Amino acid sequence: LFNTKFLPGGKNNYTSDCGWGCMLRCCQMMLSRAFIKLRFDEINKEINKEINTKLIKHEILYLFYDKFITIENIHVNKKLFEIYKNILRKKVNVLEIIPPYSIYVLTLLGNCPKVFTSDHNMIKTMIKINKILFNESIAMIHFNGSVDKKKVLEDFCEKIESNDISSIDDYILYNNEKYKFKKTGIIFISLRLGLQKIEASFIEMIPKLFYNLHNNIGFVSGKKKRAYYFIGLKDKKLIFADPHFNQNSETDEKNFPSYSINDLFLISVKEMSSELTVGVAISSQKDLEQFFNDLIQLKNINPDFIGFKEK
């Protein structure tokens, strides 16, 4: 999978992501933010463990690196290297290793057209990669319009078969069955809120993705076929990161200068596209229960916004 010999179609013919790469980059940003949050929460659970922000971000960036991993930098992420070796089941030349969420892998596995690629396509491709690499420790699931509670529980939890619940400290009860939280993960929800523009009834709901949906990692959407990554609110306007800026290729692998965002921008909700995909990072059973409660609250406010199949 991460060697050109293992990729379908062999070497690709792309020389630029101009005209189709912006949605791909925005999905990369959302996924990387989720991984960083999950890593922070994991370390926070360890008593007296110092959190090195720079090291965590550096470690996560290697998953998205757009060059072959070299012998000089492989020591930064030994765990990832071991995963590669286990997948390929042979001695691996580190010069052949391609990071899993790089442009190279995503375009090939996602069968990206030269003109446009959708957030649905990218999310599904990222989920495919996650199942190969990290499925034992990280759940990743995508819903289109409506969330199925049973499906979430099956991906994030394990069913408790014992009839004696007195020895179980905590669990989620669903249809008279008990579920225990098993692994962290990410939930993506794609929404279409109008044909071309966002319908009036949904305009007031967009800010609630930040206020009423805990542990959200923002959402990807856009304006006039330009994709943006939306990360927050200011003065009733959405804050977004824009990938449509050329940057110099990285020269120092320790700093990753071309992966940094120098500016953020504001846009009115009324100006954005009617399609979006929001992400939620789940680090614990408490997060999962909060997520279900949030969906119920959002459904009570506007039942047509995010569907929620509870039973």
Side-chain angles (χ1 to χ4, degrees), residues 30 33-34 37-38 41 185-187 208-218 229 278-292 294:
M30 182 164 62
R33 186 177 178 190
K37 183 186 184 305
L38 294 178
D41 291 347
I186 309 159
I187 300 171
K208 296 186 186 302
L209 292 175
F210 295 105
Y211 291 132
N212 296 65
L213 192 60
H214 295 75
N215 300 307
N216 80 81
I217 49 173
Y229 174 39
V278 62
V280 180
I282 304 295
S283 298
S284 64
Q285 184 165 304
K286 182 179 179 181
D287 286 349
L288 197 57
E289 292 172 328
Q290 180 68 63
F291 174 68
F292 294 144
D294 290 343

PDB file of all heavy atoms in Angstrom, residues 30 33-34 37-38 41 185-187 208-218 229 278-292 294:
ATOM      1  N   MET A  30      -8.551  18.811   8.730  1.00  0.00           N
ATOM      2  CA  MET A  30      -9.525  18.367   9.726  1.00  0.00           C
ATOM      3  C   MET A  30      -9.074  17.072  10.387  1.00  0.00           C
ATOM      4  O   MET A  30      -9.167  16.916  11.609  1.00  0.00           O
ATOM      5  CB  MET A  30     -10.902  18.195   9.080  1.00  0.00           C
ATOM      6  CG  MET A  30     -11.992  17.780  10.066  1.00  0.00           C
ATOM      7  SD  MET A  30     -13.689  17.992   9.462  1.00  0.00           S
ATOM      8  CE  MET A  30     -13.694  16.888   8.056  1.00  0.00           C
ATOM      9  N   ARG A  33      -6.106  17.679  12.774  1.00  0.00           N
ATOM     10  CA  ARG A  33      -6.557  18.299  14.025  1.00  0.00           C
ATOM     11  C   ARG A  33      -7.184  17.257  14.943  1.00  0.00           C
ATOM     12  O   ARG A  33      -6.997  17.292  16.168  1.00  0.00           O
ATOM     13  CB  ARG A  33      -7.571  19.404  13.724  1.00  0.00           C
ATOM     14  CG  ARG A  33      -7.988  20.187  14.961  1.00  0.00           C
ATOM     15  CD  ARG A  33      -8.940  21.308  14.613  1.00  0.00           C
ATOM     16  NE  ARG A  33      -9.389  22.026  15.802  1.00  0.00           N
ATOM     17  CZ  ARG A  33     -10.362  22.924  15.784  1.00  0.00           C
ATOM     18  NH1 ARG A  33     -10.968  23.236  14.642  1.00  0.00           N
ATOM     19  NH2 ARG A  33     -10.736  23.530  16.885  1.00  0.00           N
ATOM     20  N   ALA A  34      -7.917  16.309  14.366  1.00  0.00           N
ATOM     21  CA  ALA A  34      -8.513  15.236  15.165  1.00  0.00           C
ATOM     22  C   ALA A  34      -7.442  14.370  15.804  1.00  0.00           C
ATOM     23  O   ALA A  34      -7.509  14.045  17.002  1.00  0.00           O
ATOM     24  CB  ALA A  34      -9.431  14.390  14.291  1.00  0.00           C
ATOM     25  N   LYS A  37      -5.828  16.154  18.729  1.00  0.00           N
ATOM     26  CA  LYS A  37      -6.689  16.164  19.913  1.00  0.00           C
ATOM     27  C   LYS A  37      -6.697  14.804  20.608  1.00  0.00           C
ATOM     28  O   LYS A  37      -6.582  14.722  21.839  1.00  0.00           O
ATOM     29  CB  LYS A  37      -8.119  16.547  19.540  1.00  0.00           C
ATOM     30  CG  LYS A  37      -9.044  16.633  20.756  1.00  0.00           C
ATOM     31  CD  LYS A  37     -10.484  16.877  20.374  1.00  0.00           C
ATOM     32  CE  LYS A  37     -11.333  17.057  21.625  1.00  0.00           C
ATOM     33  NZ  LYS A  37     -11.225  15.917  22.582  1.00  0.00           N
ATOM     34  N   LEU A  38      -6.817  13.738  19.830  1.00  0.00           N
ATOM     35  CA  LEU A  38      -6.827  12.402  20.416  1.00  0.00           C
ATOM     36  C   LEU A  38      -5.510  12.103  21.121  1.00  0.00           C
ATOM     37  O   LEU A  38      -5.489  11.474  22.186  1.00  0.00           O
ATOM     38  CB  LEU A  38      -7.096  11.346  19.340  1.00  0.00           C
ATOM     39  CG  LEU A  38      -8.483  11.376  18.682  1.00  0.00           C
ATOM     40  CD1 LEU A  38      -8.583  10.308  17.600  1.00  0.00           C
ATOM     41  CD2 LEU A  38      -9.583  11.189  19.714  1.00  0.00           C
ATOM     42  N   ASP A  41      -5.407  14.054  24.426  1.00  0.00           N
ATOM     43  CA  ASP A  41      -6.275  13.432  25.427  1.00  0.00           C
ATOM     44  C   ASP A  41      -5.669  12.139  25.953  1.00  0.00           C
ATOM     45  O   ASP A  41      -5.800  11.814  27.134  1.00  0.00           O
ATOM     46  CB  ASP A  41      -7.651  13.152  24.819  1.00  0.00           C
ATOM     47  CG  ASP A  41      -8.427  14.420  24.528  1.00  0.00           C
ATOM     48  OD1 ASP A  41      -8.016  15.490  25.022  1.00  0.00           O
ATOM     49  OD2 ASP A  41      -9.446  14.357  23.809  1.00  0.00           O
ATOM     50  N   GLY A 185     -11.718   7.635  18.579  1.00  0.00           N
ATOM     51  CA  GLY A 185     -11.944   7.716  17.148  1.00  0.00           C
ATOM     52  C   GLY A 185     -12.558   9.020  16.694  1.00  0.00           C
ATOM     53  O   GLY A 185     -12.652   9.993  17.450  1.00  0.00           O
ATOM     54  N   ILE A 186     -12.973   9.033  15.432  1.00  0.00           N
ATOM     55  CA  ILE A 186     -13.463  10.243  14.783  1.00  0.00           C
ATOM     56  C   ILE A 186     -14.765   9.921  14.062  1.00  0.00           C
ATOM     57  O   ILE A 186     -14.873   8.893  13.380  1.00  0.00           O
ATOM     58  CB  ILE A 186     -12.442  10.786  13.766  1.00  0.00           C
ATOM     59  CG1 ILE A 186     -11.059  10.903  14.419  1.00  0.00           C
ATOM     60  CG2 ILE A 186     -12.896  12.139  13.217  1.00  0.00           C
ATOM     61  CD1 ILE A 186      -9.919  10.944  13.419  1.00  0.00           C
ATOM     62  N   ILE A 187     -15.752  10.797  14.211  1.00  0.00           N
ATOM     63  CA  ILE A 187     -17.035  10.650  13.528  1.00  0.00           C
ATOM     64  C   ILE A 187     -17.198  11.816  12.557  1.00  0.00           C
ATOM     65  O   ILE A 187     -17.087  12.981  12.950  1.00  0.00           O
ATOM     66  CB  ILE A 187     -18.201  10.641  14.534  1.00  0.00           C
ATOM     67  CG1 ILE A 187     -18.044   9.474  15.515  1.00  0.00           C
ATOM     68  CG2 ILE A 187     -19.542  10.542  13.798  1.00  0.00           C
ATOM     69  CD1 ILE A 187     -19.024   9.501  16.669  1.00  0.00           C
ATOM     70  N   LYS A 208     -24.194  26.515  15.732  1.00  0.00           N
ATOM     71  CA  LYS A 208     -24.431  25.534  16.791  1.00  0.00           C
ATOM     72  C   LYS A 208     -23.519  24.317  16.645  1.00  0.00           C
ATOM     73  O   LYS A 208     -23.367  23.534  17.584  1.00  0.00           O
ATOM     74  CB  LYS A 208     -25.911  25.117  16.802  1.00  0.00           C
ATOM     75  CG  LYS A 208     -26.852  26.275  17.137  1.00  0.00           C
ATOM     76  CD  LYS A 208     -28.289  25.821  17.279  1.00  0.00           C
ATOM     77  CE  LYS A 208     -29.217  27.013  17.470  1.00  0.00           C
ATOM     78  NZ  LYS A 208     -28.880  27.833  18.650  1.00  0.00           N
ATOM     79  N   LEU A 209     -22.907  24.154  15.469  1.00  0.00           N
ATOM     80  CA  LEU A 209     -21.924  23.078  15.313  1.00  0.00           C
ATOM     81  C   LEU A 209     -20.730  23.313  16.236  1.00  0.00           C
ATOM     82  O   LEU A 209     -20.059  22.367  16.649  1.00  0.00           O
ATOM     83  CB  LEU A 209     -21.450  22.999  13.859  1.00  0.00           C
ATOM     84  CG  LEU A 209     -22.484  22.535  12.832  1.00  0.00           C
ATOM     85  CD1 LEU A 209     -21.920  22.633  11.426  1.00  0.00           C
ATOM     86  CD2 LEU A 209     -22.929  21.104  13.122  1.00  0.00           C
ATOM     87  N   PHE A 210     -20.468  24.593  16.555  1.00  0.00           N
ATOM     88  CA  PHE A 210     -19.365  24.921  17.463  1.00  0.00           C
ATOM     89  C   PHE A 210     -19.844  25.056  18.910  1.00  0.00           C
ATOM     90  O   PHE A 210     -19.145  24.661  19.834  1.00  0.00           O
ATOM     91  CB  PHE A 210     -18.688  26.222  17.014  1.00  0.00           C
ATOM     92  CG  PHE A 210     -18.017  26.121  15.681  1.00  0.00           C
ATOM     93  CD1 PHE A 210     -18.586  26.696  14.547  1.00  0.00           C
ATOM     94  CD2 PHE A 210     -16.830  25.426  15.529  1.00  0.00           C
ATOM     95  CE1 PHE A 210     -17.980  26.598  13.310  1.00  0.00           C
ATOM     96  CE2 PHE A 210     -16.213  25.315  14.295  1.00  0.00           C
ATOM     97  CZ  PHE A 210     -16.788  25.902  13.183  1.00  0.00           C
ATOM     98  N   TYR A 211     -21.046  25.587  19.098  1.00  0.00           N
ATOM     99  CA  TYR A 211     -21.551  25.814  20.450  1.00  0.00           C
ATOM    100  C   TYR A 211     -22.211  24.582  21.060  1.00  0.00           C
ATOM    101  O   TYR A 211     -22.134  24.351  22.264  1.00  0.00           O
ATOM    102  CB  TYR A 211     -22.567  26.960  20.447  1.00  0.00           C
ATOM    103  CG  TYR A 211     -21.967  28.321  20.183  1.00  0.00           C
ATOM    104  CD1 TYR A 211     -22.539  29.176  19.238  1.00  0.00           C
ATOM    105  CD2 TYR A 211     -20.836  28.766  20.862  1.00  0.00           C
ATOM    106  CE1 TYR A 211     -22.004  30.441  18.998  1.00  0.00           C
ATOM    107  CE2 TYR A 211     -20.287  30.012  20.624  1.00  0.00           C
ATOM    108  CZ  TYR A 211     -20.873  30.847  19.683  1.00  0.00           C
ATOM    109  OH  TYR A 211     -20.339  32.080  19.438  1.00  0.00           O
ATOM    110  N   ASN A 212     -22.901  23.789  20.241  1.00  0.00           N
ATOM    111  CA  ASN A 212     -23.736  22.708  20.760  1.00  0.00           C
ATOM    112  C   ASN A 212     -23.226  21.314  20.436  1.00  0.00           C
ATOM    113  O   ASN A 212     -23.831  20.326  20.846  1.00  0.00           O
ATOM    114  CB  ASN A 212     -25.169  22.830  20.209  1.00  0.00           C
ATOM    115  CG  ASN A 212     -25.874  24.085  20.676  1.00  0.00           C
ATOM    116  OD1 ASN A 212     -25.464  25.191  20.338  1.00  0.00           O
ATOM    117  ND2 ASN A 212     -26.942  23.932  21.441  1.00  0.00           N
ATOM    118  N   LEU A 213     -22.139  21.219  19.690  1.00  0.00           N
ATOM    119  CA  LEU A 213     -21.571  19.911  19.357  1.00  0.00           C
ATOM    120  C   LEU A 213     -20.176  19.840  19.961  1.00  0.00           C
ATOM    121  O   LEU A 213     -19.198  20.318  19.378  1.00  0.00           O
ATOM    122  CB  LEU A 213     -21.528  19.722  17.836  1.00  0.00           C
ATOM    123  CG  LEU A 213     -21.229  18.321  17.306  1.00  0.00           C
ATOM    124  CD1 LEU A 213     -22.285  17.321  17.791  1.00  0.00           C
ATOM    125  CD2 LEU A 213     -21.174  18.312  15.788  1.00  0.00           C
ATOM    126  N   HIS A 214     -20.099  19.250  21.159  1.00  0.00           N
ATOM    127  CA  HIS A 214     -18.834  19.192  21.887  1.00  0.00           C
ATOM    128  C   HIS A 214     -17.807  18.330  21.143  1.00  0.00           C
ATOM    129  O   HIS A 214     -18.165  17.426  20.394  1.00  0.00           O
ATOM    130  CB  HIS A 214     -19.055  18.619  23.285  1.00  0.00           C
ATOM    131  CG  HIS A 214     -19.901  19.491  24.163  1.00  0.00           C
ATOM    132  ND1 HIS A 214     -21.261  19.599  24.020  1.00  0.00           N
ATOM    133  CD2 HIS A 214     -19.568  20.311  25.191  1.00  0.00           C
ATOM    134  CE1 HIS A 214     -21.747  20.436  24.927  1.00  0.00           C
ATOM    135  NE2 HIS A 214     -20.741  20.883  25.644  1.00  0.00           N
ATOM    136  N   ASN A 215     -16.552  18.644  21.380  1.00  0.00           N
ATOM    137  CA  ASN A 215     -15.431  17.895  20.802  1.00  0.00           C
ATOM    138  C   ASN A 215     -15.405  17.944  19.277  1.00  0.00           C
ATOM    139  O   ASN A 215     -14.787  17.098  18.628  1.00  0.00           O
ATOM    140  CB  ASN A 215     -15.465  16.426  21.268  1.00  0.00           C
ATOM    141  CG  ASN A 215     -15.379  16.314  22.765  1.00  0.00           C
ATOM    142  OD1 ASN A 215     -14.478  16.852  23.385  1.00  0.00           O
ATOM    143  ND2 ASN A 215     -16.334  15.609  23.372  1.00  0.00           N
ATOM    144  N   ASN A 216     -16.083  18.950  18.705  1.00  0.00           N
ATOM    145  CA  ASN A 216     -16.030  19.076  17.249  1.00  0.00           C
ATOM    146  C   ASN A 216     -14.633  19.534  16.823  1.00  0.00           C
ATOM    147  O   ASN A 216     -13.937  20.228  17.565  1.00  0.00           O
ATOM    148  CB  ASN A 216     -17.105  20.041  16.742  1.00  0.00           C
ATOM    149  CG  ASN A 216     -16.706  21.494  16.887  1.00  0.00           C
ATOM    150  OD1 ASN A 216     -15.970  22.036  16.055  1.00  0.00           O
ATOM    151  ND2 ASN A 216     -17.163  22.135  17.961  1.00  0.00           N
ATOM    152  N   ILE A 217     -14.257  19.159  15.617  1.00  0.00           N
ATOM    153  CA  ILE A 217     -12.952  19.541  15.069  1.00  0.00           C
ATOM    154  C   ILE A 217     -13.150  20.433  13.840  1.00  0.00           C
ATOM    155  O   ILE A 217     -12.307  20.492  12.948  1.00  0.00           O
ATOM    156  CB  ILE A 217     -12.117  18.304  14.706  1.00  0.00           C
ATOM    157  CG1 ILE A 217     -12.942  17.316  13.872  1.00  0.00           C
ATOM    158  CG2 ILE A 217     -11.583  17.635  15.963  1.00  0.00           C
ATOM    159  CD1 ILE A 217     -12.162  16.148  13.326  1.00  0.00           C
ATOM    160  N   GLY A 218     -14.301  21.128  13.809  1.00  0.00           N
ATOM    161  CA  GLY A 218     -14.607  22.009  12.697  1.00  0.00           C
ATOM    162  C   GLY A 218     -15.268  21.256  11.557  1.00  0.00           C
ATOM    163  O   GLY A 218     -15.658  20.091  11.688  1.00  0.00           O
ATOM    164  N   TYR A 229     -11.543  25.170   5.286  1.00  0.00           N
ATOM    165  CA  TYR A 229     -11.673  24.430   6.545  1.00  0.00           C
ATOM    166  C   TYR A 229     -12.105  25.415   7.628  1.00  0.00           C
ATOM    167  O   TYR A 229     -11.368  26.339   7.960  1.00  0.00           O
ATOM    168  CB  TYR A 229     -10.333  23.774   6.906  1.00  0.00           C
ATOM    169  CG  TYR A 229     -10.315  23.098   8.256  1.00  0.00           C
ATOM    170  CD1 TYR A 229     -11.414  22.387   8.730  1.00  0.00           C
ATOM    171  CD2 TYR A 229      -9.176  23.154   9.075  1.00  0.00           C
ATOM    172  CE1 TYR A 229     -11.400  21.760   9.954  1.00  0.00           C
ATOM    173  CE2 TYR A 229      -9.138  22.519  10.306  1.00  0.00           C
ATOM    174  CZ  TYR A 229     -10.251  21.826  10.735  1.00  0.00           C
ATOM    175  OH  TYR A 229     -10.234  21.210  11.964  1.00  0.00           O
ATOM    176  N   VAL A 278     -18.785  17.802   8.917  1.00  0.00           N
ATOM    177  CA  VAL A 278     -18.275  18.163  10.236  1.00  0.00           C
ATOM    178  C   VAL A 278     -17.643  16.937  10.886  1.00  0.00           C
ATOM    179  O   VAL A 278     -18.055  15.797  10.633  1.00  0.00           O
ATOM    180  CB  VAL A 278     -19.419  18.727  11.130  1.00  0.00           C
ATOM    181  CG1 VAL A 278     -20.500  17.680  11.364  1.00  0.00           C
ATOM    182  CG2 VAL A 278     -18.880  19.251  12.453  1.00  0.00           C
ATOM    183  N   GLY A 279     -16.616  17.168  11.701  1.00  0.00           N
ATOM    184  CA  GLY A 279     -15.948  16.074  12.390  1.00  0.00           C
ATOM    185  C   GLY A 279     -16.044  16.214  13.899  1.00  0.00           C
ATOM    186  O   GLY A 279     -16.081  17.328  14.424  1.00  0.00           O
ATOM    187  N   VAL A 280     -16.094  15.089  14.599  1.00  0.00           N
ATOM    188  CA  VAL A 280     -16.123  15.058  16.065  1.00  0.00           C
ATOM    189  C   VAL A 280     -15.104  14.023  16.532  1.00  0.00           C
ATOM    190  O   VAL A 280     -15.112  12.875  16.058  1.00  0.00           O
ATOM    191  CB  VAL A 280     -17.520  14.687  16.596  1.00  0.00           C
ATOM    192  CG1 VAL A 280     -17.525  14.664  18.122  1.00  0.00           C
ATOM    193  CG2 VAL A 280     -18.581  15.650  16.078  1.00  0.00           C
ATOM    194  N   ALA A 281     -14.209  14.419  17.432  1.00  0.00           N
ATOM    195  CA  ALA A 281     -13.194  13.514  17.975  1.00  0.00           C
ATOM    196  C   ALA A 281     -13.665  12.948  19.307  1.00  0.00           C
ATOM    197  O   ALA A 281     -14.025  13.705  20.211  1.00  0.00           O
ATOM    198  CB  ALA A 281     -11.868  14.251  18.150  1.00  0.00           C
ATOM    199  N   ILE A 282     -13.670  11.644  19.421  1.00  0.00           N
ATOM    200  CA  ILE A 282     -14.164  10.954  20.619  1.00  0.00           C
ATOM    201  C   ILE A 282     -13.003  10.294  21.345  1.00  0.00           C
ATOM    202  O   ILE A 282     -12.342   9.400  20.804  1.00  0.00           O
ATOM    203  CB  ILE A 282     -15.218   9.893  20.244  1.00  0.00           C
ATOM    204  CG1 ILE A 282     -16.366  10.502  19.445  1.00  0.00           C
ATOM    205  CG2 ILE A 282     -15.724   9.187  21.494  1.00  0.00           C
ATOM    206  CD1 ILE A 282     -17.191  11.512  20.194  1.00  0.00           C
ATOM    207  N   SER A 283     -12.751  10.741  22.584  1.00  0.00           N
ATOM    208  CA  SER A 283     -11.613  10.217  23.345  1.00  0.00           C
ATOM    209  C   SER A 283     -12.017   9.300  24.494  1.00  0.00           C
ATOM    210  O   SER A 283     -11.160   8.629  25.070  1.00  0.00           O
ATOM    211  CB  SER A 283     -10.790  11.383  23.923  1.00  0.00           C
ATOM    212  OG  SER A 283     -10.268  12.181  22.901  1.00  0.00           O
ATOM    213  N   SER A 284     -13.299   9.278  24.847  1.00  0.00           N
ATOM    214  CA  SER A 284     -13.715   8.514  26.021  1.00  0.00           C
ATOM    215  C   SER A 284     -15.206   8.179  25.932  1.00  0.00           C
ATOM    216  O   SER A 284     -15.921   8.690  25.062  1.00  0.00           O
ATOM    217  CB  SER A 284     -13.467   9.333  27.294  1.00  0.00           C
ATOM    218  OG  SER A 284     -14.280  10.508  27.294  1.00  0.00           O
ATOM    219  N   GLN A 285     -15.653   7.339  26.838  1.00  0.00           N
ATOM    220  CA  GLN A 285     -17.080   7.013  26.892  1.00  0.00           C
ATOM    221  C   GLN A 285     -17.893   8.254  27.241  1.00  0.00           C
ATOM    222  O   GLN A 285     -19.002   8.435  26.732  1.00  0.00           O
ATOM    223  CB  GLN A 285     -17.328   5.913  27.918  1.00  0.00           C
ATOM    224  CG  GLN A 285     -18.781   5.444  27.963  1.00  0.00           C
ATOM    225  CD  GLN A 285     -18.931   4.137  28.704  1.00  0.00           C
ATOM    226  OE1 GLN A 285     -18.299   3.138  28.358  1.00  0.00           O
ATOM    227  NE2 GLN A 285     -19.772   4.123  29.729  1.00  0.00           N
ATOM    228  N   LYS A 286     -17.338   9.117  28.053  1.00  0.00           N
ATOM    229  CA  LYS A 286     -18.005  10.370  28.395  1.00  0.00           C
ATOM    230  C   LYS A 286     -18.211  11.225  27.145  1.00  0.00           C
ATOM    231  O   LYS A 286     -19.276  11.827  26.950  1.00  0.00           O
ATOM    232  CB  LYS A 286     -17.187  11.144  29.438  1.00  0.00           C
ATOM    233  CG  LYS A 286     -17.839  12.442  29.895  1.00  0.00           C
ATOM    234  CD  LYS A 286     -16.990  13.135  30.946  1.00  0.00           C
ATOM    235  CE  LYS A 286     -17.626  14.442  31.380  1.00  0.00           C
ATOM    236  NZ  LYS A 286     -16.776  15.138  32.390  1.00  0.00           N
ATOM    237  N   ASP A 287     -17.198  11.275  26.281  1.00  0.00           N
ATOM    238  CA  ASP A 287     -17.324  12.007  25.020  1.00  0.00           C
ATOM    239  C   ASP A 287     -18.428  11.418  24.149  1.00  0.00           C
ATOM    240  O   ASP A 287     -19.195  12.148  23.512  1.00  0.00           O
ATOM    241  CB  ASP A 287     -16.009  11.961  24.238  1.00  0.00           C
ATOM    242  CG  ASP A 287     -14.937  12.849  24.832  1.00  0.00           C
ATOM    243  OD1 ASP A 287     -15.252  13.655  25.723  1.00  0.00           O
ATOM    244  OD2 ASP A 287     -13.772  12.733  24.395  1.00  0.00           O
ATOM    245  N   LEU A 288     -18.488  10.096  24.112  1.00  0.00           N
ATOM    246  CA  LEU A 288     -19.474   9.422  23.275  1.00  0.00           C
ATOM    247  C   LEU A 288     -20.895   9.707  23.775  1.00  0.00           C
ATOM    248  O   LEU A 288     -21.802  10.005  22.982  1.00  0.00           O
ATOM    249  CB  LEU A 288     -19.209   7.919  23.273  1.00  0.00           C
ATOM    250  CG  LEU A 288     -19.877   7.098  22.166  1.00  0.00           C
ATOM    251  CD1 LEU A 288     -19.485   7.615  20.792  1.00  0.00           C
ATOM    252  CD2 LEU A 288     -19.509   5.630  22.308  1.00  0.00           C
ATOM    253  N   GLU A 289     -21.084   9.641  25.080  1.00  0.00           N
ATOM    254  CA  GLU A 289     -22.396   9.941  25.653  1.00  0.00           C
ATOM    255  C   GLU A 289     -22.771  11.403  25.425  1.00  0.00           C
ATOM    256  O   GLU A 289     -23.940  11.723  25.152  1.00  0.00           O
ATOM    257  CB  GLU A 289     -22.399   9.608  27.148  1.00  0.00           C
ATOM    258  CG  GLU A 289     -22.298   8.111  27.422  1.00  0.00           C
ATOM    259  CD  GLU A 289     -22.102   7.787  28.889  1.00  0.00           C
ATOM    260  OE1 GLU A 289     -21.462   8.594  29.604  1.00  0.00           O
ATOM    261  OE2 GLU A 289     -22.593   6.740  29.327  1.00  0.00           O
ATOM    262  N   GLN A 290     -21.780  12.300  25.527  1.00  0.00           N
ATOM    263  CA  GLN A 290     -22.020  13.716  25.263  1.00  0.00           C
ATOM    264  C   GLN A 290     -22.439  13.913  23.803  1.00  0.00           C
ATOM    265  O   GLN A 290     -23.327  14.713  23.500  1.00  0.00           O
ATOM    266  CB  GLN A 290     -20.757  14.525  25.559  1.00  0.00           C
ATOM    267  CG  GLN A 290     -20.891  16.024  25.311  1.00  0.00           C
ATOM    268  CD  GLN A 290     -21.822  16.696  26.295  1.00  0.00           C
ATOM    269  OE1 GLN A 290     -21.564  16.712  27.486  1.00  0.00           O
ATOM    270  NE2 GLN A 290     -22.913  17.252  25.775  1.00  0.00           N
ATOM    271  N   PHE A 291     -21.789  13.183  22.900  1.00  0.00           N
ATOM    272  CA  PHE A 291     -22.114  13.271  21.474  1.00  0.00           C
ATOM    273  C   PHE A 291     -23.567  12.889  21.222  1.00  0.00           C
ATOM    274  O   PHE A 291     -24.295  13.595  20.498  1.00  0.00           O
ATOM    275  CB  PHE A 291     -21.176  12.354  20.688  1.00  0.00           C
ATOM    276  CG  PHE A 291     -21.495  12.249  19.223  1.00  0.00           C
ATOM    277  CD1 PHE A 291     -21.335  13.331  18.370  1.00  0.00           C
ATOM    278  CD2 PHE A 291     -21.952  11.038  18.694  1.00  0.00           C
ATOM    279  CE1 PHE A 291     -21.624  13.227  17.009  1.00  0.00           C
ATOM    280  CE2 PHE A 291     -22.240  10.933  17.334  1.00  0.00           C
ATOM    281  CZ  PHE A 291     -22.085  12.028  16.499  1.00  0.00           C
ATOM    282  N   PHE A 292     -24.021  11.814  21.831  1.00  0.00           N
ATOM    283  CA  PHE A 292     -25.420  11.403  21.665  1.00  0.00           C
ATOM    284  C   PHE A 292     -26.373  12.456  22.231  1.00  0.00           C
ATOM    285  O   PHE A 292     -27.400  12.767  21.613  1.00  0.00           O
ATOM    286  CB  PHE A 292     -25.656  10.057  22.355  1.00  0.00           C
ATOM    287  CG  PHE A 292     -24.920   8.899  21.727  1.00  0.00           C
ATOM    288  CD1 PHE A 292     -24.409   7.875  22.507  1.00  0.00           C
ATOM    289  CD2 PHE A 292     -24.751   8.835  20.350  1.00  0.00           C
ATOM    290  CE1 PHE A 292     -23.741   6.804  21.933  1.00  0.00           C
ATOM    291  CE2 PHE A 292     -24.072   7.773  19.760  1.00  0.00           C
ATOM    292  CZ  PHE A 292     -23.576   6.749  20.549  1.00  0.00           C
ATOM    293  N   ASP A 294     -25.779  15.648  22.507  1.00  0.00           N
ATOM    294  CA  ASP A 294     -25.723  16.814  21.627  1.00  0.00           C
ATOM    295  C   ASP A 294     -26.620  16.625  20.407  1.00  0.00           C
ATOM    296  O   ASP A 294     -27.312  17.558  19.979  1.00  0.00           O
ATOM    297  CB  ASP A 294     -24.280  17.058  21.167  1.00  0.00           C
ATOM    298  CG  ASP A 294     -23.379  17.546  22.290  1.00  0.00           C
ATOM    299  OD1 ASP A 294     -23.902  18.008  23.314  1.00  0.00           O
ATOM    300  OD2 ASP A 294     -22.147  17.460  22.122  1.00  0.00           O
TER     301      ASP A 294
END
